[in-house]
Amino acid sequence: MPDQLAELLAGARVAVSVQSKKPIQDSSGTDITGMAMKVSGPDGDLLEYRQIGDWTYLRAGVKSLEKATGSHLPTGDDLPPNANELKQVLGGGWVKMPADSFTKNAVGKDVAPSVNPGVDARQDKVIKGLQQLVSREVQLKDTGFRNGADHITATASFRTLLTGLVDELRPLAGDLPQGAELPTSQDLKGAPDKKVTADFAIKNGVLREVSVDLAPLADITQDGTFALVLRLGKGNQATTVPDQATQIDPDSLAQQLLQGLAPQPGSGPLL
């Protein structure tokens, strides 16, 4: 992994919030009133996403992305005159599009959901298989009370757990989105055969934090930690509609991105 990418990941933060008319655990899709996600790096926000009502809002932190990647994104002058949607995105302001545009295919037609009575049965079988996998392969240990919370650790072999997880998911492989594939058994043989430990912090009976040290998976000899931390809590503010969001056509944006990624005669790719 390049040092620049490693530094970006080490300093990255992802904040996700969901609002619902009901408690989250009892909510269905129709109960969700707002969702938001923000990806931030050491130099500022990289990407922000909000969905409120019938609209999806996006904003790219262009300057932060350039610092993080060490390269310059194209400006409006670098893009073709008809790349209006891409110019809006790379301008750094908010853009919006219909929320249901994400359920459409590349030609703009609605993708009909498949109805397969066997899917639910396979999902139930997969869930039971995963429960058995965790019970069989994961070692749990009570590590006591500290920092205001009870702590429990879960330790397992990364390769064994990953291989078992993928094997349990294979019955659902046919239901994955087009182009998405599960790794093969040969692929999984390259996974590190090392033990990884997750630390669960529980306060007043509620899970508050999960921390996993990924350093054992790295092929290095130096001592150190590389913690992936998930914190759970109540959101401190409601998801709001951004000011001055420009409406764009998602199909046109997709085409412009494909054109921008394709090599141009006599030059490199735009993105």
Side-chain angles (χ1 to χ4, degrees), residues 23-237:
I24 295 299
Q25 64 270 23
D26 300 326
S27 299
S28 64
T30 57
D31 299 315
I32 303 300
T33 58
M35 291 189 295
M37 181 183 71
K38 181 187 291 186
V39 182
S40 304
D43 296 309
D45 296 340
L46 302 173
L47 179 68
E48 192 166 0
Y49 159 93
R50 299 179 191 178
Q51 183 171 326
I52 305 171
D54 297 328
W55 293 94
T56 292
Y57 302 85
L58 296 171
R59 181 178 67 86
V62 177
K63 296 300 182 184
S64 298
L65 283 169
E66 289 180 333
K67 289 182 180 179
T69 59
S71 60
H72 291 289
L73 294 173
T75 65
D77 294 336
D78 300 322
L79 299 172
N82 60 346
N84 295 322
E85 278 74 14
L86 190 51
K87 289 179 182 180
Q88 292 291 342
V89 172
L90 294 178
W94 282 98
V95 298
K96 69 176 183 178
M97 63 192 78
D100 61 1
S101 61
F102 287 98
T103 64
K104 296 180 179 180
N105 60 16
V107 296
K109 295 180 180 179
D110 290 330
V111 179
S114 59
V115 179
N116 187 342
V119 172
D120 289 341
R122 294 201 301 273
Q123 288 177 341
D124 289 341
K125 184 178 180 180
V126 167
I127 291 174
K128 291 180 180 178
L130 293 176
Q131 291 173 337
Q132 294 173 358
L133 172 68
V134 172
S135 176
R136 183 175 64 250
E137 302 294 345
V138 178
Q139 298 177 341
L140 299 177
K141 182 179 180 181
D142 185 345
T143 58
F145 184 87
R146 62 182 184 276
N147 299 326
D150 295 302
H151 286 258
I152 296 175
T153 59
T155 303
S157 164
F158 180 76
R159 183 191 298 174
T160 300
L161 194 60
L162 182 60
T163 301
L165 171 65
V166 172
D167 287 344
E168 294 296 341
L169 292 175
R170 291 200 190 282
L172 297 179
D175 301 309
L176 294 175
Q178 186 175 1
E181 297 181 356
L182 292 173
T184 64
S185 299
Q186 188 64 33
D187 295 332
L188 295 171
K189 288 182 179 180
D193 188 18
K194 299 180 180 180
K195 289 190 175 182
V196 175
T197 298
D199 182 276
F200 297 84
I202 302 170
K203 188 173 183 179
N204 298 326
V206 178
L207 179 63
R208 294 300 186 189
E209 183 176 298
V210 183
S211 177
V212 183
D213 183 11
L214 301 179
L217 302 181
D219 189 18
I220 56 177
T221 57
Q222 298 96 325
D223 292 333
T225 60
F226 184 70
L228 175 64
V229 182
L230 171 66
R231 293 187 177 92
L232 307 172
K234 185 177 181 180
N236 55 10
Q237 61 183 15

